[in-house]
Amino acid sequence: MTEQGTFEITRLEEPEIHFNGGSDVSPKRGLMEYGPRLKNNEHQAINVAAIGDAESIRLLDDLFLDWSTVIHPDLDDDKIRPWRIPFPGLNSRSNLNTSIAFPERWRYRILKGEIRSVQAHNTKEGKFQEFLSLVREEIDWLSDDDPTPDVIVVCIPDGIMEELRDGKHGDVIVGGKNLHSQIKIAGMENSIPTQLIKPETLNTTSPQDRATKAWNLSLGLLYKAQRGHPWKTKKMDHGTCYAGLSFYRDKDGDGNVVRAALAHVFARKDYNIIQSEPLKDISEDENGQPHVSKKGAENIAEQIVNYYKKRNRGSVPERIVIHKSSPFWDEEREGFQAGAEEVRLHDYVHIRTRGTGVRLFPDGDFPPLRGTLLSVPDDDVHYLYTTGYVPEVATYEGSNIPEPIEIRPDVQTESDYETLCEEILFLTKLDWNTSDFAVKEPITLKVPRKVSNVISEQGIDPVEADKQYYYYM
């Protein structure tokens, strides 16, 4: 460790993740070498259904065919390098030990007349509602089949996307409703995870795009199909319960927009992701950041501990770690401590992922190393590079200058800051919706935010919503 004035700079060790019989620091390299974790270690056939027009379903079929063989990121150079891992293909001989089943009877085609009927509406709201009704009806039909598909892929036809979306990219949001979230809700209500595919996803041209999309989409489909993650970290300690708190806008019974909060628990036993019942007793500070009341914090902590006990034969966690994107108020801290009084160790961590205003400029042409930790011990504030140059794979996967996240342990936190930062670093490697080396923010913040985006939609009861992440991603 070196000291530079009031700063201390070190680099945390890159955490390994565990696959089917082996470990590696790289998701792609580990999957290539050992294969994903599968139920009973048996070959996984992902049974896929699709909803879309004739052209998008044809392109989807071509995409699945393309995935059946090896895809090199560079056609002119098929050597395997740490930063350029080819997609190994989905077939019985591949180390991924996974294939795609896409039977004709599960290809639900939206007819041209139905598309014209959607386009005929005078308003975007009318077009949106009719298209959503079409998709919902097809999902309902598929859910009545025996057996049901593992995943339903919804391909949004080009003609529909042009009518609904402003610009070439971004989500489709009309009248306050998000098409992605509404389709997620429809799948959840029928107990089938969904995968949305936009027209540009099906139009793959460069070899690098083909390989990247194959990696990311196939991993997402695998996670949804087997209701279980393709890798796990070896760092999660038995007896430690991690939770992230998210806030979102909801409507009460009188139609008033209010704040609501959900806690999401990441438990040791197969890393269950569990969401609590929502709370609406929310205040905001002078910066507009939300906070729960003492009673609300107590309720959340009780729910977290009860969920953990239920899934661990009644045993109480030894330690509880709560991540939040806003500072902890005194009443929040008191509530968490009261609600989790059975737990011996309490760690509360405020994490800011954007606008930290801190940059490191190392010598040379590369950005700071992922895992670099800049600490200000006197203030107990720490800046962790969860993205950056990764020497283990000799690359930086980002396109922008990396920015560290800010980590502030609460005054009542028991663990030392290095332990908390090491945990945050490995929690950035548990996003099973991407094959990237890691993501910027820990899943204790990322997953709750994505779930809240769906929960906040009109037409869903947060209390009745399913608690598993694969319905939301």
Side-chain angles (χ1 to χ4, degrees):
M1 178 179 293
T2 63
E3 293 192 8
Q4 298 182 357
T6 58
F7 299 106
E8 294 181 357
I9 300 177
T10 187
R11 186 185 178 228
L12 304 180
E13 181 182 356
E14 185 61 53
E16 289 188 338
I17 45 181
H18 188 69
F19 303 90
N20 185 30
S23 300
D24 203 301
V25 297
S26 164
K28 288 179 183 175
R29 199 164 61 197
L31 290 167
M32 188 83 167
E33 179 71 20
Y34 305 108
R37 297 175 68 248
L38 299 173
K39 291 182 178 180
N40 303 319
N41 291 327
E42 295 178 355
H43 179 83
Q44 174 76 51
I46 304 174
N47 298 303
V48 175
I51 300 169
D53 63 346
E55 177 64 6
S56 59
I57 288 181
R58 182 188 69 79
L59 290 172
L60 182 65
D61 192 33
D62 289 345
L63 190 71
F64 290 156
L65 181 62
D66 192 35
W67 293 0
S68 65
T69 57
V70 175
I71 303 175
H72 288 280
D74 186 347
L75 290 178
D76 297 325
D77 185 357
D78 60 2
K79 291 182 180 179
I80 299 177
R81 293 181 171 84
W83 65 91
R84 195 171 61 196
I85 305 294
F87 179 69
L90 299 183
N91 56 65
S92 59
R93 300 176 303 281
S94 166
N95 276 9
L96 294 184
N97 201 17
T98 304
S99 59
I100 297 284
F102 188 34
E104 181 64 36
R105 69 188 181 95
W106 283 344
R107 303 182 189 193
Y108 278 55
R109 292 172 175 82
I110 299 173
L111 303 178
K112 292 180 179 179
E114 293 172 319
I115 294 177
R116 287 194 297 269
S117 178
V118 171
Q119 295 170 329
H121 284 272
N122 294 325
T123 64
K124 278 193 175 182
E125 286 81 1
K127 301 175 198 289
F128 183 98
Q129 289 300 335
E130 181 159 349
F131 178 67
L132 181 61
S133 295
L134 278 174
V135 173
R136 277 186 163 277
E137 184 178 356
E138 302 295 4
I139 291 176
D140 288 344
W141 278 107
L142 285 163
S143 69
D144 288 336
D145 206 349
D146 187 18
T148 58
D150 296 322
V151 185
I152 298 175
V153 176
V154 179
C155 303
I156 305 176
D158 236 333
I160 299 293
M161 186 63 82
E162 290 174 1
E163 296 281 345
L164 296 179
R165 188 164 63 178
D166 294 323
K168 293 184 178 180
H169 300 287
D171 287 345
V172 174
I173 302 175
V174 178
K177 291 186 176 182
N178 186 305
L179 183 61
H180 173 274
S181 297
Q182 290 290 327
I183 290 174
K184 293 295 170 185
I185 293 169
M188 185 193 312
E189 290 172 346
N190 288 278
S191 301
I192 305 177
T194 56
Q195 174 71 51
L196 236 67
I197 292 187
K198 300 173 183 177
E200 57 266 25
T201 303
L202 294 173
N203 294 322
T204 302
T205 53
S206 74
Q208 185 173 6
D209 284 344
R210 286 172 56 217
T212 299
K213 288 179 181 178
W215 271 115
N216 292 341
L217 280 172
S218 63
L219 282 177
L221 291 176
L222 176 60
Y223 174 51
K224 294 170 183 179
Q226 70 167 3
R227 280 37 169 193
H229 40 78
W231 66 79
K232 65 178 182 178
T233 177
K234 298 177 71 175
K235 288 274 187 176
M236 272 187 166
D237 293 327
H238 182 70
T240 297
C241 180
Y242 300 89
L245 193 61
S246 68
F247 299 87
Y248 64 97
R249 298 286 184 180
D250 194 14
K251 286 188 176 181
D252 62 17
D254 298 322
N256 301 310
V257 177
V258 297
R259 283 276 195 180
L262 284 168
H264 302 259
V265 182
F266 302 82
R268 166 67 178 170
K269 187 178 179 182
D270 206 32
Y271 310 145
N272 287 315
I273 300 173
I274 311 151
Q275 71 190 42
S276 72
E277 295 180 2
L279 297 170
K280 295 186 178 181
D281 186 10
I282 308 296
S283 302
E284 292 186 358
D285 60 26
E286 65 274 11
N287 298 316
Q289 293 184 306
H291 299 267
V292 295
S293 65
K294 178 180 178 180
K295 185 61 178 176
E298 184 175 348
N299 288 343
I300 287 174
E302 287 175 351
Q303 291 177 37
I304 290 171
V305 173
N306 288 338
Y307 280 135
Y308 185 94
K309 289 165 66 175
K310 183 177 180 180
R311 284 158 178 78
N312 289 272
R313 299 183 179 180
S315 64
V316 177
E318 172 73 7
R319 174 173 169 249
I320 186 171
V321 183
I322 298 180
H323 291 165
K324 193 158 76 79
S325 58
S326 56
F328 289 81
W329 278 0
D330 289 343
E331 57 184 304
E332 290 178 307
R333 186 185 307 113
E334 293 169 6
F336 287 132
Q337 290 175 324
E341 61 181 355
E342 298 176 271
V343 182
R344 191 171 72 88
L345 300 174
H346 293 230
D347 288 332
Y348 310 131
V349 188
H350 169 211
I351 302 173
R352 188 156 63 120
T353 60
R354 291 179 178 83
T356 61
V358 172
R359 295 287 190 280
L360 287 178
F361 297 94
D363 295 333
D365 298 328
F366 298 111
L369 302 181
R370 170 178 148 85
T372 298
L373 179 62
L374 171 68
S375 295
V376 188
D378 292 343
D379 296 331
D380 201 15
V381 58
H382 313 276
Y383 299 92
L384 175 63
Y385 276 89
T386 53
T387 58
Y389 183 79
V390 182
E392 290 84 357
V393 293
T395 192
Y396 166 53
E397 293 183 334
S399 57
N400 300 319
I401 297 174
E403 177 188 21
I405 65 174
E406 182 181 298
I407 300 166
R408 290 181 179 267
D410 185 70
V411 292
Q412 293 296 326
T413 292
E414 301 283 353
S415 300
D416 63 87
Y417 75 85
E418 283 202 9
T419 296
L420 299 174
C421 291
E422 287 172 355
E423 291 175 332
I424 289 169
L425 194 67
F426 76 66
L427 287 167
T428 64
K429 302 190 78 160
L430 295 183
D431 184 350
W432 306 298
N433 200 32
T434 178
S435 63
D436 289 349
F437 189 86
V439 293
K440 182 175 181 177
E441 56 187 342
I443 57 168
T444 42
L445 295 184
K446 183 173 183 178
V447 168
R449 189 184 69 252
K450 295 188 77 170
V451 172
S452 291
N453 288 341
V454 177
I455 292 291
S456 63
E457 282 288 309
Q458 302 171 35
I460 183 172
D461 182 351
V463 177
E464 298 297 326
D466 198 282
K467 314 230 182 272
Q468 294 299 335
Y469 179 45
Y470 43 73
Y471 285 114
Y472 299 87
M473 56 180 271

